[in-house]
């Protein structure tokens, strides 16, 4: 469902809801709530796992989470609707202009019972539930507010026990909002993983057995997901190796496995087994690995900006290594045995690569080191600031800057770009957005990983 609006109005005010705030997903000026919610969940999980390692940076991490959760509270504030996107993407992508100048349609898109979007609603619920745990000790009132809204968000679209929605109102936002969310952030593997992910986070935050029952009764649905291996062959049941803004399979297994780290319950078997198989799909020496590695050692998986895989999967390796330590366990990959230290080592190798230990000796984090990307695919970074250029830059007026070989006007410090190709080659070009565009889904998982390695140096 969409609400059309005059371009002079901004972010929902004419439909009676304030949708200011939140994050643009990458180098454009659109708020895609599906990946934004995933990024928020990862920031919150970083705080839950690594708050002690963040030291003086913890308030900054919580501030970044709150900027998103304040927005999601607004996006779920109208009864019967969950707002899924702000900004008409085709008009936005046709322009290269500053956020301050944008005059493209700020159309608001929503899902509802009539126009379902289970994946985006469940991911927002996961973000709110995880964030409620992140704020539990610093702001109990805000934490309780987030948790209450998380329950409402996931109950509304997924399986409300009071209103008996169950399967009747489930559905993908691909079908409801496909012309506007695709091809940008289509849900390529269905919404079942988001429903499980949301339920797992709500169980972790509430200990309500209702959510745990849902996880146990529906975890088999993930076995029906088809994925391609490194040889391009499609197989069912391979979702245990997938994790990112669109795929929550490995995340569900790692998250739930902590509940059973010290348990011998039979109910833990499938989660721990699949989490172990995930590890085996990543380790370079594993006979069952399903990823590739560049000559310089960067992990590669099919699909879009590659650095999102390196950061998200490194985060899971690091978190799972902590669970293995607690249980005094190792992972068996055929004839290869991996202990928790090995998982940490692989995660560290990816971080080191990102920060400059690679054949090009380039940091892929803007502003870090002496050699980093200068021409990232990002409107606000590439165009001169208002202080430098007070005149309005129209839709096509930014093309001059986009096509320029000059470095970007503004450093987006800390942003991690899509990264090099599988041969370790990098094109420092705005037009090569796969390599040069930063995204929140790349950066968010890296926050906790960097915090850990800051407090655990070599």
């Amino acid at each position: 469902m969409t609400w059309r609006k005059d371009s002079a109005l901004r972010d929902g005010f004419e439909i009676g809801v304030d949708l200011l705030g939140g994050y643009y997903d990458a180098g454009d000026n659109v708020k895609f709530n599906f990946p934004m919610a995933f990024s928020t969940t990862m920031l919150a999980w970083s705080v839950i796992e690594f708050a002690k390692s963040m030291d003086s940076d913890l308030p900054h991490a919580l501030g970044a989470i709150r900027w998103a959760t304040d927005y999601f509270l607004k996006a779920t504030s109208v009864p019967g609707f969950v707002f899924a996107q702000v900004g008409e993407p085709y008009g936005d992508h046709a322009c290269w202009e500053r956020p301050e100048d944008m005059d493209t349609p700020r159309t608001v898109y929503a899902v509802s019972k009539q126009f379902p979007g289970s994946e985006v609603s469940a991911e927002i619920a996961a973000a709110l539930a995880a964030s409620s745990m992140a704020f539990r000790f610093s702001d109990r009132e805000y934490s309780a507010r987030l948790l209450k809204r998380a329950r409402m968000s996931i109950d509304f679209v997924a399986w409300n026990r009071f209103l008996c929605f169950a399967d009747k109102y489930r559905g993908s936002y691909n079908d409801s909002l496909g012309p506007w969310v695709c091809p940008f952030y289509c849900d390529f593997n269905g919404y079942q993983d988001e429903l499980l992910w949301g339920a797992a986070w709500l169980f972790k935050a509430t200990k309500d057995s209702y959510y745990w029952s849902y996880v146990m009764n529906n975890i088999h649905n993930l076995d029906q997901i088809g994925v391609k291996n490194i040889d391009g062959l499609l197989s069912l049941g391979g979702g245990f190796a997938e994790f990112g803004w669109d795929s929550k399979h490995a995340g569900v297994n790692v998250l739930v496995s902590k509940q059973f780290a010290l348990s011998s319950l039979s109910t833990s078997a499938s989660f721990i087994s699949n989490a172990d198989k995930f590890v085996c799909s990543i380790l370079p020496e594993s006979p069952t690995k399903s990823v590739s590695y560049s000559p310089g050692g960067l992990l590669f998986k099919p699909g879009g900006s590659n650095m999102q895989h390196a950061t998200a999967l490194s985060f899971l390796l690091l978190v799972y290594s902590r669970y293995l330590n607690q249980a005094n366990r190792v992972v068996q990959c055929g004839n290869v045995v991996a202990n928790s230290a090995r998982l940490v080592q692989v995660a560290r190798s990816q971080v080191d690569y990102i920060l400059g230990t690679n054949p090009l000796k380039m940091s892929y984090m803007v502003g870090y080191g002496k050699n980093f990307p200068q021409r990232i695919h990002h409107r606000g970074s590439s165009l001169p600031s208002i202080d430098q250029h007070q005149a309005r830059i129209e839709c096509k007026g930014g093309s001059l800057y986009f096509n320029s070989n000059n470095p970007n006007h503004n450093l987006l410090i800390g942003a991690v770009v899509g990264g090099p190709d599988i041969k370790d080659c990098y094109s420092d070009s705005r037009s090569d957005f796969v390599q040069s565009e930063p995204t929140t889904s790349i950066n968010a998982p890296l926050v906790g990983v960097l915090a850990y390695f800051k407090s655990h140096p070599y």
Side-chain angles (χ1 to χ4, degrees):
M1 178 176 292
T2 66
W3 281 269
R4 299 291 178 182
K5 58 184 295 183
D6 185 89
S7 61
L9 297 173
R10 287 299 171 93
D11 296 0
F13 281 112
E14 86 293 353
I15 60 171
V17 60
D18 167 12
L19 292 177
L20 293 177
Y23 294 101
Y24 301 136
D25 69 298
D28 52 40
N29 298 327
V30 179
K31 286 183 273 194
F32 294 100
N33 290 2
F34 189 23
M36 190 200 306
F38 169 74
S39 299
T40 307
T41 307
M42 295 308 297
L43 286 175
W45 199 359
S46 295
V47 168
I48 293 167
E49 293 286 343
F50 304 113
K52 292 182 179 179
S53 298
M54 292 182 177
D55 297 325
S56 60
D57 289 319
L58 179 57
H60 299 299
L62 290 173
I65 295 169
R66 189 185 288 263
W67 185 259
T69 51
D70 281 352
Y71 168 78
F72 285 128
L73 288 173
K74 299 174 183 180
T76 55
S77 63
V78 178
F81 298 94
V82 173
F83 293 100
Q85 185 171 308
V86 177
E88 195 282 299
Y90 293 97
D92 176 88
H93 284 60
C95 295
W96 195 260
E97 56 188 347
R98 298 175 295 200
E100 297 89 343
D101 294 332
M102 62 179 171
D103 50 9
T104 53
R106 301 303 291 169
T107 308
V108 174
Y109 303 86
V111 296
S112 64
K113 290 183 291 184
Q114 185 179 1
F115 301 98
S118 296
E119 59 277 273
V120 64
S121 300
E123 187 62 57
I124 289 174
L128 293 171
S131 298
S132 77
M133 296 184 68
F135 282 102
R136 185 165 289 172
F137 299 106
S138 62
D139 192 334
R140 288 185 175 274
E141 182 178 349
Y142 188 66
S143 171
R145 185 183 175 199
L146 295 178
L147 189 54
K148 180 179 179 181
R149 188 62 60 82
R151 285 179 179 266
M152 292 171 58
S153 297
I154 204 162
D155 285 349
F156 157 59
V157 175
W159 55 81
N160 190 301
R161 52 181 150 172
F162 303 115
L163 300 182
C164 300
F165 284 174
D167 290 298
K168 185 176 181 181
Y169 294 117
R170 292 189 195 180
S172 174
Y173 86 156
N174 289 1
D175 299 322
S176 304
L177 299 174
W180 304 283
V181 301
C182 295
F184 311 98
Y185 286 99
C186 285
D187 183 4
F188 292 99
N189 63 7
Y191 54 78
Q192 295 291 348
D193 55 326
E194 277 79 33
L195 294 180
L196 286 160
W197 177 243
W201 272 110
L202 273 161
F203 173 70
K204 188 175 179 67
T206 66
K207 299 299 184 288
D208 186 334
S209 62
Y210 173 74
Y211 298 113
W212 178 243
S213 295
Y214 181 85
V215 173
M216 290 303 300
N217 291 334
N218 291 275
I219 190 65
H220 66 276
N221 290 329
L222 297 191
D223 295 334
Q224 307 306 312
I225 303 298
V227 296
K228 291 183 179 179
N229 62 21
I230 56 178
D231 299 316
L233 299 177
L234 183 69
S235 62
L236 293 178
F240 61 80
E242 302 302 312
F243 187 61
W245 63 263
D246 181 38
S247 303
K248 311 308 183 311
H249 309 70
V252 169
N253 289 315
V254 169
L255 178 66
V256 173
S257 68
K258 185 180 182 181
Q259 303 295 129
F260 303 107
L262 302 176
S263 171
S264 59
L265 293 175
S266 60
T267 52
S268 68
S270 65
F271 300 104
I272 292 176
S273 173
N274 282 330
D276 284 358
K277 286 196 292 185
F278 157 71
V279 171
C280 295
S281 76
I282 301 298
L283 298 183
E285 67 272 24
S286 170
T288 57
K289 79 172 186 291
S290 61
V291 301
S292 303
Y293 285 87
S294 72
L298 182 63
L299 179 156
F300 270 81
K301 285 180 73 72
S305 169
N306 183 68
M307 211 63 91
Q308 65 181 317
H309 305 306
T311 61
L313 300 183
S314 293
F315 179 91
L316 287 189
L317 286 177
L318 202 55
V319 169
Y320 198 54
S321 75
R322 291 158 61 87
Y323 302 169
L324 291 177
N325 259 340
Q326 293 174 15
N328 194 27
R329 287 185 56 242
V330 296
V331 175
Q332 189 86 35
C333 305
N335 61 348
V336 173
V337 177
N339 59 20
S340 61
R342 177 56 179 151
L343 274 62
V344 173
Q345 185 181 39
V346 173
R348 189 188 294 273
S349 73
Q350 298 306 297
V351 174
D352 287 346
Y353 188 107
I354 292 169
L355 297 181
T357 306
N358 55 62
L360 296 181
K361 293 180 170 54
M362 168 176 265
S363 163
Y364 291 101
M365 177 182 284
V366 176
Y368 184 86
K370 295 181 179 179
N371 183 25
F372 55 83
Q374 301 290 323
R375 302 166 190 84
I376 69 173
H377 183 99
H378 190 278
R379 287 159 175 77
S381 173
S382 67
L383 295 164
S385 67
I386 296 293
D387 291 340
Q388 298 169 322
H389 188 286
Q390 294 185 6
R392 185 181 186 83
I393 299 177
E394 302 291 342
C395 172
K396 299 299 183 182
S399 299
L400 175 67
Y401 300 95
F402 177 83
N403 294 319
S404 170
N405 288 323
N406 294 327
N408 283 11
H409 282 265
N410 308 299
L411 286 181
L412 192 62
I413 294 176
V416 179
V417 297
D421 62 22
I422 198 166
K423 296 181 180 179
D424 297 308
C425 297
Y426 178 73
S427 173
D428 193 6
S429 169
R430 294 179 199 94
S431 61
D432 190 349
F433 63 89
V434 172
Q435 291 196 354
S436 66
E437 187 169 23
T439 70
T440 59
S441 55
I442 294 175
N443 265 75
L446 193 58
V447 171
V449 176
L450 290 174
Y452 175 84
F453 287 127
K454 175 188 173 185
S455 62
H456 296 79
Y458 287 108

